[in-house]
Amino acid sequence: MSGMSGLCLFILPDEVRIHTPAMVRVFGQGRDVLQRLLLSFCRRRLQASRSKDQKGKKYMNKDVNVRFEKCDDPDTIDILFSASERDEQVEALIKTVSEQLVRKLHVVDGKNQDCIIDESEIISISSQGKKVRILTDSGLYTARRSLQDLEQMISRRKFMRISRYEIVNASRIRTFDFNIRGTLRIEFEGGIETWASRRYIPLIKKHLQGKDGAE
Amino acid sequence: MKTLLKLCGIGFLMGVFIGNLITVFTSLPDGGGLFTKRLLDLAGSEAMAALIQTISTGLLGAVSMGGVCFHEIENKHFGLLASAVSHLSLILVFYFPIAFLLGWIASLPEALIMLAIMVASYFIIWFIMFLRYRAAVKELNRIKESSPDNSGNEQD
C-alpha cells in the first residue's frame, strides 16, 4: 500500500493521473475499478498533504479576501466569515479574530497584585464608595478606574447597568425575581445574587431585547 | 439633595393651595371661611391664623413631596414596601399634629377615620405599583428565556 501511495504522490500534486502503461499491463481489464479506488485514495492523501505544512501545522489553502462594507449602525462592527463550509481554515480565522476581540481589564487582586482578566470572566462590577469591585469566576478584584470608565471599556452588548452602582454581565443572569418587599433580585449562575434598581427595569428590558443600541 | 429641595419647594406651594381648600371645606359647617373656628381661637387674629396655616400646610406639602425621595433609595433591604411605609409614616407624623392644629380633625374617631383612609389609599397605591413591577419582572424573565444567548448559541 505504501508503494501505491508513493506512486500517487509522485504523480501529484495538481492533477491525479493514473493512466500509466505499467498499471494497464499489471491490472489489465480490471484497471477501471482499480483506477477509481486509487483515485479516491490519492485524493484523500492529496487533501491531507495539502492541509499540513512541513512543521505539521494546518496549512491555509483557500484564498482569503478581506473587504469593507459600510453599515448604518455607528456602534457595531459586524465581522462575517463567508465560505463554502466551516472547515479548519475558517475555524482558525474565527478563533484568531475572536481572540483579538476579547477585552481585557487591568485589576488588582486580594493580595494587591496587578493582574489582567478577560471581561468574559466578569459577573458584576459595582462601586462601593470610592472602590470599584469586580466579581469574577475566579474571585473578587478591585479596579483602579471608576465605574463609568470601566463601562466605556467593556462590551455594551454583554454588560448592562442595573443600578447607579452596578453593571452586570447579562449573559450570566439566570433569573430575575421581584419579591413582596419590592426589591428586584438578580440571580446569576452559581447562585450569586444582587439587587437591581426598579427604575432600571425599562433599561434592562431594552438591553435584553437588544433595543438599546448595544446589539 | 437638589432633587429633594426642588420637590420640597413644589410641595410647599401645593401644600398651601390644597391646605386652604381643605380648610374651606372643613369650615363649611361653621359658615365657611379661610380658617376654621378652632384655628382662629388658637391664633387670636386672622393674620396670625393665616401665617400658621400657610406655614403648616406648606410644611405638610413639602414633607409629602420630599418623602417621594424614599422611593429613590434602593437596596436589598429597602424595597418598594419599605419606601411606601416610610413615606406614609413621615406624612402621618406631620399630618396629625397639623390637622389638629388647623382644626381639620377635632376628635379621636375622626383621626382614626383619616388614618384608615390614608393607610387604605397608600395600600392601594403600593399594591398597584407592586403588580406593575412584578409584571415587568416577569416580562424580563420571558425575554431572557427567549433570547438567543440563553439557548447556548452565544455568538461571541
Side-chain angles (χ1 to χ4, degrees):
Chain A
M1 201 68 184
S2 61
M4 281 205 291
S5 64
L7 170 70
C8 297
L9 289 171
F10 178 74
I11 294 166
L12 297 176
D14 291 322
E15 197 176 348
V16 181
R17 292 174 193 275
I18 317 198
H19 290 277
T20 59
M23 286 182 69
V24 174
R25 273 202 308 276
V26 171
F27 297 112
Q29 292 301 314
R31 68 181 187 277
D32 290 335
V33 178
L34 282 165
Q35 277 180 2
R36 278 200 294 275
L37 286 169
L38 273 169
L39 187 62
S40 169
F41 176 78
C42 291
R43 277 181 177 154
R44 283 202 299 272
R45 289 301 302 261
L46 172 63
Q47 208 165 2
S49 67
R50 277 182 169 175
S51 67
K52 291 191 177 187
D53 63 8
Q54 290 174 343
K55 292 176 184 174
K57 290 182 180 174
K58 299 294 173 190
Y59 181 71
M60 308 296 181
N61 57 352
K62 284 180 184 168
D63 290 336
V64 179
N65 302 310
V66 179
R67 67 168 186 265
F68 173 78
E69 274 181 28
K70 200 176 175 187
C71 75
D72 296 329
D73 188 350
D75 298 322
T76 309
I77 298 171
D78 286 323
I79 299 173
L80 173 72
F81 294 90
S82 177
S84 60
E85 59 177 333
R86 192 165 170 160
D87 59 12
E88 288 174 354
Q89 184 180 0
V90 176
E91 286 293 348
L93 283 169
I94 290 172
K95 194 181 169 194
T96 307
V97 173
S98 300
E99 280 170 0
Q100 294 298 314
L101 294 176
V102 173
R103 293 181 170 102
K104 294 182 188 296
L105 297 178
H106 291 263
V107 294
V108 181
D109 66 11
K111 294 171 186 171
N112 217 22
Q113 300 284 316
D114 286 346
C115 49
I116 298 170
I117 55 168
D118 287 351
E119 69 166 19
S120 57
E121 291 178 51
I122 298 170
I123 296 167
S124 71
I125 306 172
S126 58
S127 66
Q128 290 182 341
K130 287 184 178 178
K131 277 194 171 180
V132 174
R133 291 166 14 122
I134 301 176
L135 182 65
T136 70
D137 295 323
S138 54
L140 192 64
Y141 298 90
T142 53
R144 295 191 199 278
R145 291 172 179 272
S146 69
L147 193 65
Q148 284 76 19
D149 285 349
L150 290 173
E151 191 176 20
Q152 297 299 316
M153 294 168 72
I154 55 181
S155 163
R156 287 176 57 198
R157 184 178 175 274
K158 279 185 181 174
F159 291 86
M160 65 179 177
R161 266 210 186 238
I162 57 160
S163 69
R164 270 192 295 170
Y165 311 104
E166 194 162 5
I167 300 164
V168 299
N169 189 339
S171 62
R172 298 299 196 90
I173 294 172
R174 183 189 285 165
T175 186
F176 298 93
D177 175 42
F178 194 72
N179 55 30
I180 194 76
R181 285 189 303 174
T183 51
L184 174 52
R185 191 176 69 91
I186 296 178
E187 188 181 320
F188 298 99
E189 294 161 357
I192 299 162
E193 58 184 19
T194 190
W195 282 263
S197 169
R198 295 189 301 274
R199 284 173 296 140
Y200 278 76
I201 289 176
L203 294 175
I204 295 170
K205 187 178 172 182
K206 274 186 181 176
H207 184 96
L208 294 177
Q209 289 175 324
K211 288 181 182 173
D212 61 348
E215 277 189 327
Chain B
M1 194 64 186
K2 201 176 167 183
T3 311
L4 178 66
L5 289 173
K6 197 176 169 183
L7 284 171
C8 288
I10 295 166
F12 190 91
L13 296 173
M14 283 177 68
V16 172
F17 177 72
I18 295 168
N20 278 313
L21 281 180
I22 292 170
T23 307
V24 168
F25 285 113
T26 313
S27 64
L28 280 177
D30 301 325
L34 285 174
F35 314 104
T36 58
K37 192 173 178 296
R38 180 188 166 88
L39 179 62
L40 277 171
D41 291 344
L42 274 171
S45 67
E46 283 198 358
M48 185 56 78
L51 185 68
I52 292 170
Q53 185 162 288
T54 303
I55 292 171
S56 305
T57 52
L59 182 66
L60 184 59
V63 164
S64 303
M65 281 293 278
V68 170
C69 285
F70 276 118
H71 293 277
E72 300 284 313
I73 305 167
E74 288 192 56
N75 59 48
K76 65 177 176 180
H77 304 298
F78 207 88
L80 183 64
L81 186 62
S83 306
V85 169
S86 304
H87 192 192
L88 177 63
S89 305
L90 183 73
I91 290 171
L92 292 178
V93 164
F94 279 82
Y95 172 78
F96 283 104
I98 288 170
F100 271 109
L101 178 71
L102 300 182
W104 293 350
I105 47 177
S107 62
L108 188 64
E110 279 181 27
L112 289 174
I113 289 167
M114 277 310 296
L115 178 67
I117 290 170
M118 290 173 86
V119 171
S121 306
Y122 237 82
F123 176 78
I124 291 167
I125 292 167
W126 169 81
F127 192 62
I128 290 168
M129 287 172 80
F130 176 77
L131 290 180
R132 277 189 59 206
Y133 281 122
R134 202 176 64 168
V137 171
K138 208 173 173 182
E139 176 75 359
L140 291 185
N141 278 319
R142 192 193 61 74
I143 297 166
K144 175 75 186 152
E145 286 295 317
S146 61
S147 70
D149 283 356
N150 207 43
S151 60
N153 297 326
E154 207 167 338
Q155 290 172 5
D156 49 351

